Amino acid sequence: MRNLFQKLADRLQTLRDGLSVRTQITAAVAAMVIALVGALATGAAFVSYRNTAELVNTALASVASTTAERLDRYMALRQQEVHLFSKLEPMRPLWQGDRASLRKALEQLQSSFSDFAWIGFAKPDGTVVASTGGLLEGASVAQRPWFKTGLHDPIVGDVHEAALLSSLLAKRADGEPHRFIDIALPVRDHDGNLLGVLGAHLDWQWARNLIASAEANDGDTDTTLTVLSRTGTVLVGPGMTTTKYAGDRLDDILRTRTGAFTEKPADKILLTAYYVSRGHRDYEGLNWVVTASQPSDVALAAAVHSAKTILIIGAIAGLVGVIMAFFIARQISRPIRAITLEADRIGRASGPTMLPRQNGSLEVVQLTRALRSLLRRIGFAEERTKEAELRATENAMQFKDDLTKLRRLAETDYLTDLMNRRAFLAAADDAMEFAHRYKRSIATLMIDIDHFKKINDNHGHHIGDIAIKRIAGVISGNIKSTDRAARFGGEEFVVLLREADELTAQMLANRIRNAIELAIIGEGDIRISATVSIGIALIADSDRDVQDMIERADQGLYVAKNTGRNRCFFMPASEDRSIRVA
């Protein structure tokens, strides 16, 4: 201890003999403040600019991907509508029946989905038998690409103009030509014999409306959305029908499928994010490219302003730091002599080694107290180390317990205590892998409360929550311990049944449906009943993952809803499309 204070005294004496302590402290602190504040200000400005650019690109990419997914979902629905219409049992006698009746059925479909500009049925030789509005009836479409492909396989064509059909339709208000997307598929009888081709022309105006809606909902009037074909031709947006991207740029977009880049058209710089459509469900997609662009001077204006402001504040802070360093050095230099003498005395004298209390400036008092405290704390170092180790062990145990509770909260639906979507999908993926590997059968039930909105509207959301919990309890009480049930959202539930064939799944689904129908739901004087619709699906060899089976069960739920509710519907795999209503 004496050697330490002796060295301190000698060092302070050397400093006093050279430059003054105040000068050295002022110079050192000033240099440190300038360097630190300058580095922080420059770094903060750079980070602010970079992060803002990344946030803008992320926001643009989100707008582009959301728009592309909306385009794909819309096309998937239109393709599914035409496919389901061709499979309707009431339509089978009409394909070779009276032309007027067939035309009426096609026009009813068009009235339900007004985006279809034309729907027609042509015989295998290409002659149009019947169509909406009687357009092209008797004409031959044998050379049309959609008809040639539609004789064998379903087809969704890319955007094009149809001069003959456009001449028969009313002219557009904006004077632009009609543009269509072709949807076609073969129509066969029960024996698989080809009866003809059902074709539909989807008016491209819906896509322009969708893009306009997306730009309006984005909230940023400077964002421009563009839809391009896989060849780089603009389908919707500025420069329509022109080629916007080609060569390496287009190849890179189609290869990476999503990303962002900076482009310089004309005299401005644009931040552009892109997303290549990936299709939806049975709709494989046409590789449309959706881009979202924003001028860089607008997008990064806030970042540039922030960077300038940070640099100005940094310069002011540096100047203030230099001034403060001068005054701090002057205050420190006054008591330094007294500290030097006292340190020399302790280092040379024999006897007590405790530093006496010093009066004077706050710095001197604090330093004296710190040194005295240091001497006292040395004796307690080992004891405090042990206490710290004990506290660390207790904290680790508490952390482990909290982590277990958080994991349960993360995997459980707060209202029903059923599994949530994330936990269910993880368990279902494991069950799916096991079933495929060992050739075991599993089934999925999609359960949805009928007219749930009326329950909320008529009795309030509290009764709606009670209904959800009651129905969740009925579902849990009717399945095995090895089965899994989850709340997928709102009033929709999903159940995974292990070792269940079609008959077992339908029996369990009806048992759940009947139990819910008989259950009394309510609180106080309010007593209500509820029903559910259930879609059923079994695992199939063609299922890529559990999502395929869930989507099939969801389609069955859709059919159960549309055919009267309070019923179960089994949706077979694509290789077995026979209808089973339970």
Side-chain angles (χ1 to χ4, degrees), residues 16 49 59 113 133 138 185 204 280 286-287 302 328 338 403 412 415 431 505 522:
R16 189 187 67 176
Y49 185 90
F113 308 104
L185 50 84
W204 183 240
H280 183 71
L286 297 172
N287 283 335
I328 291 173
L403 186 62
T412 305
L415 182 62

Side-chain angles (χ1 to χ4, degrees), residues 266-285:
D267 56 347
K268 59 182 178 180
I269 300 176
L270 296 179
L271 299 181
T272 299
Y274 62 87
Y275 187 90
V276 180
S277 64
R278 306 172 187 268
H280 183 71
R281 293 185 178 177
D282 294 335
Y283 169 62
E284 297 181 354

Side-chain angles (χ1 to χ4, degrees), residues 41 118 281 466 536 569:
W118 180 87
R281 293 185 178 177
I466 292 176
I536 310 168
F569 183 88

Side-chain angles (χ1 to χ4, degrees), residues 451-525:
H451 302 296
F452 184 71
K453 185 177 184 298
K454 290 184 179 179
I455 295 177
N456 281 335
D457 293 343
N458 294 336
H459 304 287
H461 289 276
H462 178 63
I463 298 299
D465 289 346
I466 292 176
I468 290 175
K469 290 191 286 187
R470 180 75 174 91
I471 290 172
V474 172
I475 294 172
S476 297
N478 282 276
I479 62 176
K480 304 190 299 293
S481 60
T482 56
D483 298 333
R484 294 291 180 265
R487 181 184 178 202
F488 250 35
E491 67 275 17
E492 188 175 54
F493 304 86
V494 63
V495 179
L496 181 74
L497 306 176
R498 291 177 178 267
E499 305 297 335
D501 56 16
E502 178 182 342
L503 178 60
T504 303
Q506 290 191 354
M507 290 176 62
L508 178 61
N510 277 298
R511 188 167 72 214
I512 292 174
R513 180 181 61 80
N514 291 330
I516 292 173
E517 186 175 12
L518 295 175
I520 301 301
I521 299 170
E523 182 180 71
D525 296 333

Side-chain angles (χ1 to χ4, degrees), residues 23 34 37 64 76 94 164 166 178 188 193 209 264-265 304-305 342 429 460 463 488-489 502 510 512 566 575 580:
T23 301
I34 293 174
V37 172
L94 298 182
L164 179 57
S166 296
H178 289 280
R188 303 180 185 276
N193 298 318
N209 295 338
K264 299 179 180 179
V304 173
H305 177 73
E342 189 62 29
D429 281 336
I463 298 299
F488 250 35
E502 178 182 342
N510 277 298
I512 292 174
N566 191 20
E575 61 268 16
R580 301 175 179 89

